[in-house]
């Protein structure tokens, strides 16, 4: 039997209610630097090793440490040169390990969203109480350090429990980056809250392109340009979203930075049609202006499925 988690309804891409982003823009563009902390000797999780190589993995640890010591500063200066703000996928332990990075991002009015505590501590096997404790600790820590209330969530190392989405909705998160089903936002079925799926990307994530695909830097830049051009073209019919997820220990290597810069130049040259923004601003606009129309369209097409349902009285009909 086919199993479907029924987290969202199937919703064909064509003939949807038209999304027009603020200022009449066709594409909402955001950048997600993952600023993470990896433990040298993480606690053992039976579902997954902390490092691909046997522990202690001095090589893997030091490469990622380079990202926070050198790479992030280089990436931050590059984004400054284009006037782009980041939405930080944050390992909250960074607040204690590298508060100077937090301070630099706050000074630039960058957004922070949750990426767990350490990227070497997985959600597999957590009880509900433990998972709630992680979420609550992240909310408190980020508020104390930045003055921001977390609204977005990307599971640590993309690891989840069956209750993760319901829990973050319970805590009034606005968006999750853990689903990859669409190029536009879409409501997620949760027992409470108004959670949406925010288009993130595995296809143009530098971990995938440099790691799993083994792409060279110019190939990666070409992928970014083609990805952008296609979404911009489709955005004339209804607004699309492009996210570039980045890891400073990869994209900020000296030999990779120039091709990435060229891709950003191409994207930035389309300012008349692109809303350069953050994930929380996209989520806020969508929740206020597009979510109800999405749910009404799904219902009118007869696509709403049973089982899990959307929270809120306005969706109960």
């Amino acid at each position: 039997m086919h199993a479907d988690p029924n987290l969202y309804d199937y919703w064909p891409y064509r003939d949807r209610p038209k999304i027009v982003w603020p200022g009449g823009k066709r594409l909402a563009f955001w950048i997600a630097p993952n600023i993470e902390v990896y433990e040298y000797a993480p606690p053992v999780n039976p579902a997954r090793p902390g490092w691909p190589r046997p522990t202690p993995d001095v090589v893997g640890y030091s490469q990622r440490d380079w990202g926070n010591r050198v790479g992030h500063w280089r990436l931050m200066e590059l984004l400054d040169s284009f006037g782009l703000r980041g939405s930080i996928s944050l390992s909250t332990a960074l607040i204690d390990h590298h508060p100077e990075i937090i301070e630099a991002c706050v000074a630039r009015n960058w957004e922070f969203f949750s990426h767990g505590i350490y990227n070497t501590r997985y959600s597999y096997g957590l009880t509900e109480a433990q998972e709630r404790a992680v979420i609550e600790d992240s909310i408190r820590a980020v508020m104390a350090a930045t003055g921001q209330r977390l609204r977005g969530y990307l599971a640590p190392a993309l690891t989840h429990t069956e209750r993760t989405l319901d829990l973050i909705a319970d805590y009034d998160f606005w968006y999750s980056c853990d689903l990859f089903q669409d190029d536009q936002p879409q409501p997620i079925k949760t027992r409470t809250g108004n959670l949406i799926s925010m288009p993130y990307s595995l296809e143009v994530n530098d971990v995938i392109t440099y790691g799993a695909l083994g792409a060279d830097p110019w190939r990666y830049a070409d992928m970014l340009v083609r990805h952008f051009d296609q979404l911009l073209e489709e955005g004339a019919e209804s607004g699309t979203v492009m996210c570039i997820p980045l890891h400073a220990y990869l994209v900020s290597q000296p030999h990779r930075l120039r091709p990435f810069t060229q891709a950003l130049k191409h994207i930035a040259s389309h300012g008349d049609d692109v809303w350069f923004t953050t994930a929380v601003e996209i989520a806020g606009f969508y929740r206020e202006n597009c979510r109800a129309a999405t749910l009404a369209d799904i219902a009118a097409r007869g696509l709403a499925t049973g089982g899990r349902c959307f929270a809120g009285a306005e969706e109960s009909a």
Side-chain angles (χ1 to χ4, degrees):
M1 179 181 292
H2 173 65
D4 186 334
N6 195 23
L7 299 174
Y8 47 82
D9 289 318
Y10 174 72
W11 188 37
Y13 192 47
R14 292 186 178 276
D15 301 320
R16 293 176 176 177
K18 184 172 183 176
I19 294 174
V20 179
W21 299 120
K25 307 296 187 179
R26 293 158 51 179
L27 185 149
F29 178 83
W30 67 289
I31 289 182
N34 286 256
I35 308 186
E36 302 163 332
V37 182
Y38 290 80
E39 297 161 287
Y40 179 61
V44 175
N45 188 306
R48 178 175 168 181
W51 292 98
R53 291 153 47 101
T55 300
D57 187 354
V58 177
V59 174
Y61 175 83
S62 60
Q63 181 196 30
R64 286 156 179 79
D65 195 35
W66 178 93
N68 289 334
R69 293 172 180 270
V70 179
H72 174 68
W73 302 97
R74 186 175 285 153
L75 177 61
M76 193 157 48
E77 290 176 1
L78 175 61
L79 296 185
D80 285 348
S81 72
F82 286 99
L84 296 172
R85 290 181 294 146
S87 292
I88 300 301
S89 172
L90 181 69
S91 296
T92 57
L94 192 94
I95 295 169
D96 296 323
H97 289 276
H98 295 293
E100 66 280 0
I101 293 179
I102 301 294
E103 293 167 5
C105 294
V106 169
R108 288 164 169 79
N109 193 30
W110 286 17
E111 179 201 356
F112 296 86
F113 65 95
S114 178
H115 196 31
I117 298 175
Y118 289 95
N119 214 38
T120 39
R121 298 202 184 185
Y122 309 134
S123 300
Y124 303 133
L126 292 182
T127 66
E128 180 170 339
Q130 289 170 328
E131 196 166 8
R132 284 186 180 276
V134 170
I135 295 169
E136 291 172 3
D137 179 76
S138 297
I139 293 171
R140 285 193 300 266
V142 171
M143 176 63 75
T146 73
Q148 289 188 28
R149 170 55 163 88
L150 287 175
R151 296 299 184 189
Y153 188 87
L154 177 68
L158 301 185
T159 64
H160 314 84
T161 71
E162 291 184 355
R163 69 183 77 87
T164 298
L165 294 174
D166 278 328
L167 289 182
I168 62 173
D170 281 349
Y171 286 97
D172 197 24
F173 280 68
W174 291 2
Y175 69 89
S176 166
C177 297
D178 287 315
L179 304 174
F180 305 93
Q181 88 284 8
D182 216 290
D183 290 324
Q184 294 179 319
Q186 182 175 355
I188 301 173
K189 298 180 180 182
T190 53
R191 63 193 177 198
T192 62
N194 294 314
L195 191 67
I196 67 167
S197 174
M198 176 62 64
Y200 191 64
S201 179
L202 294 180
E203 292 293 318
V204 295
N205 188 320
D206 60 355
V207 162
I208 303 300
T209 53
Y210 286 135
L213 301 181
D216 67 63
W218 289 105
R219 176 67 170 167
Y220 180 43
D222 179 62
M223 291 169 63
L224 292 174
V225 168
R226 287 187 287 114
H227 197 86
F228 171 81
D229 286 349
Q230 183 66 34
L231 288 174
L232 184 64
E233 179 181 331
E234 293 175 7
E237 297 296 324
S238 183
T240 51
V241 176
M242 178 173 176
C243 174
I244 305 180
L246 298 172
H247 299 74
Y249 72 88
L250 293 170
V251 74
S252 296
Q253 294 289 343
H255 68 101
R256 290 173 173 157
L257 204 66
R258 185 170 296 175
F260 181 65
T261 302
Q262 293 300 312
L264 286 185
K265 284 182 178 178
H266 175 80
I267 293 168
S269 70
H270 292 77
D272 290 345
D273 295 316
V274 179
W275 180 27
F276 297 103
T277 186
T278 59
V280 71
E281 291 174 355
I282 297 171
F285 181 88
Y286 181 87
R287 283 160 51 99
E288 291 295 322
N289 298 281
C290 310
R291 184 176 185 270
T294 295
L295 294 172
D297 185 64
I298 291 171
R301 295 196 201 193
L303 298 172
T305 54
R308 295 171 59 91
C309 60
F310 294 105
E314 75 276 13
E315 289 88 39
S316 62

